[in-house]
Amino acid sequence: MPPVKTQMKRSRRAAAPPSGSWATAVDEPPMAEPSAPVVTADVEGEAGNVTAAVVSIDVGALLNRGGELAQAGLWLQSLRAFDSAAQAEPGNAKAHEQRAQVLLQIGRPLEAVQAAGTACTLRPEWGDGRRTLARAQLDHGEVALALSSFDAALGLLL
C-alpha cells in the first residue's frame, strides 16, 4: 500500500467582528490563527510503513481554545473545539458543559440538554453543570424540568 500524503494549509488572520455585534454562523471567519499544537503523534516503523502510532490530544488546550473562540463570538469554531475535547476525553464533564453552552448560543437547545445532561451524569455534584442543564431545559421548553434543575443547582452552589 503506498504511503498516504497529507498537506496542511494555514488560514489568514481574520478580522475581529464589529464591536457590539454577535457573529453568526453565516459571517463567521475561518479560525483566526493556529493555536499551540494540541495533537502530537509518535510513529514507529520503517520508511512508509507505520507499525504503531500513539496520538496524544491536549484536551486542556482544546478547552482553552474553545473558550477563546466563544468569547470572540465564533460559535461554530468553538463548538468544534469542544466537540473534539469531548470526543478525546468522553469523561470530561467540563467539555460537555461548555459544548452545551455553545449549543444554546446557536439555537440548538435539545442537543444542549443532552450535552449538559452528560456533564451532570459525569459530575452530579457540580452546580455550574446543573445550572447549564436548567438553562438548556428552559430553552427547550421543559419548564418543570428546568425548575427542578435550577433548584438542584442552587442547592449545590450555596
Side-chain angles (χ1 to χ4, degrees):
M1 176 182 276
V4 177
K5 294 183 180 181
T6 60
Q7 187 175 25
M8 296 180 68
K9 296 181 181 179
R10 289 183 179 232
S11 63
R12 293 183 179 177
R13 186 175 184 98
S19 177
S21 70
W22 291 90
T24 64
V26 175
D27 64 4
E28 188 171 299
M31 190 170 287
E33 60 187 38
S35 59
V38 294
V39 178
T40 57
D42 294 325
V43 180
E44 297 175 6
E46 298 174 19
N49 296 320
V50 176
T51 56
V54 177
V55 176
S56 173
I57 298 176
D58 185 348
V59 174
L62 283 170
L63 291 174
N64 288 338
R65 185 68 179 152
E68 292 168 2
L69 291 165
Q71 286 180 341
L74 302 173
W75 304 116
L76 295 180
Q77 291 177 12
S78 176
L79 180 60
R80 284 192 290 271
F82 293 137
D83 281 344
S84 295
Q87 288 172 1
E89 196 175 304
N92 188 316
K94 187 172 184 174
H96 293 283
E97 188 269 340
Q98 289 183 337
R99 183 175 176 272
Q101 288 191 40
V102 172
L103 287 164
L104 285 172
Q105 285 293 329
I106 62 174
R108 292 165 50 183
L110 177 58
E111 292 174 77
V113 168
Q114 294 166 341
T118 300
C120 290
T121 299
L122 293 169
R123 280 184 61 191
E125 76 291 347
W126 188 28
D128 290 334
R130 196 66 63 177
R131 181 175 46 202
T132 299
L133 175 60
R135 288 181 45 230
Q137 290 167 329
L138 188 59
D139 280 9
H140 187 56
E142 299 288 345
V143 177
L145 289 174
L147 287 172
S148 175
S149 294
F150 274 125
D151 187 46
L154 280 173
L156 293 168
L157 292 169
L158 297 180

